[in-house]
């Protein structure tokens, strides 16, 4: 006899988030499978706040959109995939108005994932491809131990940046530039 696994959706995840006993937990959905994620460590959190600050200041100064941290995003017509980028940007043109208190029903323009010790590089690259399939156009995978960043874009080869290089906002955040040395103090 075959056992049927439960299919989770975004409403289920929101219910989990609203339970006080889950305050310290983070969840993602991959094709209806619930993925429990551990909280970020010190280096991870530090890089997220540094990058988030630079992105926020640039987006505000240029009136471009909204920067978030560890916020759940899902495609509008897809109730079975939910991703929580460590940092994200969504343009005002694409952002829901008003911006939701709950999960965001559109994928961000930029998703940033910071590799934790528990992640393999293959997992991170697979996640970048999932973001692209779900509608995100620019993904930065930050590799703290290597002091590198991988850039993933729709129909473009993966590019790897190292110290001495600068992150570019490309078409998503035109004019944004950040030297990698500022991410890895």
């Amino acid at each position: 006899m075959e056992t049927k696994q439960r299919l989770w959706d975004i409403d289920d995840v929101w219910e989990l988030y609203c339970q006080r006993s889950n305050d310290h937990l983070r969840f993602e959905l991959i094709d209806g499978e619930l993925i429990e994620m551990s909280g970020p460590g010190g280096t991870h959190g530090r890089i997220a706040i540094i990058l988030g600050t630079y992105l926020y200041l640039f987006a505000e100064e240029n009136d471009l959109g909204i920067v978030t941290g560890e916020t759940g995003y899902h495609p509008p017509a897809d109730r079975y995939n939910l991703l929580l980028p460590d940092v994200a940007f969504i343009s005002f043109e694409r952002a829901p108005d008003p911006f939701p208190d709950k999960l965001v029903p559109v994928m961000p323009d930029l998703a940033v994932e910071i590799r934790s010790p528990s992640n393999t590089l293959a997992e991170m690259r697979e996640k970048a491809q999932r973001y692209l399939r779900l509608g995100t156009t620019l993904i930065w995978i930050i590799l703290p131990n290597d002091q590198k960043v991988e850039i993933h874009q729709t129909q473009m080869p993966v590019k790897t940046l190292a110290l001495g290089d600068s992150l570019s906002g490309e078409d998503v955040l035109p004019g944004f530039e950040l030297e990698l040395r500022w991410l890895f103090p």
Side-chain angles (χ1 to χ4, degrees):
M1 184 170 161
E2 193 175 306
T3 308
K4 191 173 184 178
Q5 192 174 4
R6 177 176 179 189
L7 196 63
W8 294 77
D9 70 15
I10 56 172
D11 293 329
D12 296 324
V13 173
W14 184 251
E15 251 183 66
L16 289 172
Y17 279 140
C18 291
Q19 295 173 13
R20 284 182 188 241
S21 60
N22 293 330
D23 279 350
H24 62 288
L25 299 176
R26 300 166 40 213
F27 301 98
E28 289 187 329
L29 281 178
I30 306 297
D31 297 327
E33 181 183 344
L34 185 68
I35 310 295
E36 184 178 325
M37 301 168 57
S38 59
T43 299
H44 184 283
R46 185 175 184 194
I47 291 171
I49 199 70
I50 290 168
L51 181 57
T53 300
Y54 281 110
L55 288 171
Y56 171 78
L57 292 172
F58 183 83
E60 284 293 308
E61 183 177 309
N62 294 282
D63 198 31
L64 295 175
I66 299 168
V67 175
T68 62
E70 294 187 352
T71 299
Y73 288 85
H74 65 90
D78 184 340
R79 304 190 53 71
Y80 301 102
N81 283 286
L82 173 74
L83 297 175
L84 276 80
D86 295 311
V87 179
F89 167 81
I90 186 165
S91 66
F92 284 131
E93 292 87 38
R94 295 189 59 251
D97 186 19
F99 201 69
D101 289 332
K102 295 184 177 184
L103 305 170
V104 182
V106 63
M107 295 303 290
D109 298 298
L110 165 67
V112 179
E113 289 289 341
I114 302 166
R115 185 177 178 189
S116 295
S118 61
N119 301 123
T120 67
L121 187 53
E123 290 170 334
M124 301 297 290
R125 289 174 174 159
E126 183 180 313
K127 193 170 190 180
Q129 292 307 306
R130 180 170 296 280
Y131 274 110
L132 291 172
R133 284 193 305 276
L134 294 175
T136 301
T137 56
L138 179 61
I139 298 92
W140 296 339
I141 296 177
I142 299 179
L143 307 168
N145 291 344
D146 302 320
Q147 295 189 329
K148 293 182 179 178
V149 177
E150 282 191 2
I151 312 299
H152 296 254
Q153 291 178 273
T154 310
Q155 299 184 0
M156 298 286 287
V158 174
K159 187 170 30 171
T160 302
L161 305 178
L163 285 179
D165 294 327
S166 293
L167 274 173
S168 167
E170 310 287 340
D171 294 337
V172 172
L173 284 157
F176 179 82
E177 293 283 329
L178 181 65
E179 293 178 38
L180 287 195
R181 67 185 177 102
W182 296 112
L183 280 184
F184 306 113

